Amino acid sequence: KGVWHRASMLIGADGATGIVARSLGLARGVRLGAAIEGEVRVPNPQLLSAQRSIQFDMGALPAGYRWIFPKGDHLNVGSCTTREKVRSIKSSFHDFLDLNPALRGFSDLTMTGAPLPCLMTPCALNTYRTLVCGDSAGLVDPLTAEGIQYAIESGIFAAEAAVDFLRDGSPLGAYTERVLRTAFVEISIAEKFARLLLDHPYVSFKVGVNNSKVNALFADIVSGRKTYLEVYEEIKRRFSRKFYFM
């Protein structure tokens, strides 16, 4: 505050509510969801049991889910949605703490919240001398609410665009075009999967959780072995055209 810096260009990586995109009118196609997570301790028998699995609970929130991840001597518990203005996210989180048997008798709750920005429509991610990446550009997966992969990928794109710009004045618009034909394509397909799986938990269970082949496809996505686009094309090949939901 009160300190001025001069530079030939600027890369905005200041998060979902950062000042760079907002002040320059970039990433206007972003929808802002939210997440709440907590670190909790539970009695040892429950901890040992919870360490053998990861829990996902779908259906309690629109376009969202709740989770329990084991983390050494404690559990990470959370609730998230990629929809805007979902007022029930906090109460849903506390209901999960109170009602889930794996969390009975928990203690030492440390709770934090964060916005989840999802790029829903194509839009500018650069000006003449500025660009935004990661959460600043809304590059978050609307199905899993994960953004690290896109932050790294767009950060690499941004660095390469910066080198070209500083070396020979190459337009930064090439950065926006690159993000839109890569990360944005993946986010768009993930949004379609999210509408089916998160908004319709019964279908999600029948088609996904209860189907080992679909489970394997999503394991491939999470592990990075396949992209959403590759999985979508594979599902289209496996099922009849009547099944197309996108």
Side-chain angles (χ1 to χ4, degrees):
K1 200 170 184 180
V3 178
W4 290 83
H5 299 277
R6 287 185 178 274
S8 298
M9 69 161 297
L10 174 67
I11 297 176
D14 50 344
T17 58
I19 193 173
V20 176
R22 188 171 68 250
S23 61
L24 296 175
L26 299 176
R28 290 188 173 182
V30 169
R31 183 180 70 201
L32 206 59
I36 296 175
E37 67 174 345
E39 307 286 341
V40 303
R41 297 187 183 278
V42 295
N44 201 51
Q46 289 161 236
L47 179 64
L48 293 175
S49 177
Q51 286 176 337
R52 293 194 292 267
S53 64
I54 295 174
Q55 289 191 36
F56 292 98
D57 178 59
M58 292 180 284
L61 286 165
Y65 64 93
R66 304 183 293 195
W67 72 83
I68 301 176
F69 297 158
K71 292 182 69 176
D73 62 350
H74 65 281
L75 303 177
N76 179 274
V77 184
S79 179
C80 71
T81 175
T82 55
R83 293 275 167 83
E84 291 184 309
K85 300 177 181 178
V86 176
R87 297 179 182 277
S88 59
I89 183 170
K90 191 171 184 178
S91 61
S92 175
F93 174 78
H94 285 290
D95 287 345
F96 196 45
L97 288 174
D98 293 337
L99 300 176
N100 192 298
L103 302 172
R104 190 172 294 119
F106 75 87
S107 62
D108 299 332
L109 173 63
T110 302
M111 189 169 72
T112 59
L116 291 177
C118 294
L119 187 63
M120 292 291 101
T121 57
C123 60
L125 302 177
N126 72 281
T127 64
Y128 171 62
R129 296 198 305 166
T130 305
L131 54 81
V132 290
C133 61
D135 281 10
S136 299
L139 303 181
V140 168
D141 185 323
L143 176 58
T144 65
E146 181 266 329
I148 295 298
Q149 173 188 340
Y150 297 129
I152 294 171
E153 182 181 86
S154 63
I156 293 171
F157 293 171
E160 292 172 349
V163 169
D164 292 342
F165 175 80
L166 295 172
R167 181 179 55 209
D168 54 27
S170 297
L172 292 180
Y175 166 80
T176 292
E177 293 172 5
R178 191 177 183 185
V179 171
L180 293 181
R181 69 173 182 265
T182 54
F184 178 69
V185 170
E186 287 289 286
I187 289 169
S188 298
I189 296 173
E191 166 68 10
K192 293 171 182 179
F193 280 123
R195 287 206 308 266
L196 176 70
L197 300 177
L198 299 180
D199 287 351
H200 305 282
Y202 178 78
V203 175
S204 172
F205 181 80
K206 288 293 185 181
V207 176
V209 177
N210 209 30
N211 187 314
S212 59
K213 291 181 179 179
V214 175
N215 259 315
L217 288 175
F218 278 95
D220 285 340
I221 290 174
V222 173
S223 65
R225 290 190 294 267
K226 290 183 179 178
T227 66
Y228 278 112
L229 179 59
E230 289 170 337
V231 168
Y232 174 53
E233 294 296 337
E234 192 164 339
I235 288 175
K236 285 205 298 186
R237 287 194 299 270
R238 288 190 183 189
F239 295 93
S240 71
R241 292 184 180 181
K242 293 180 181 179
F243 184 75
Y244 291 2
F245 55 88
M246 297 177 252

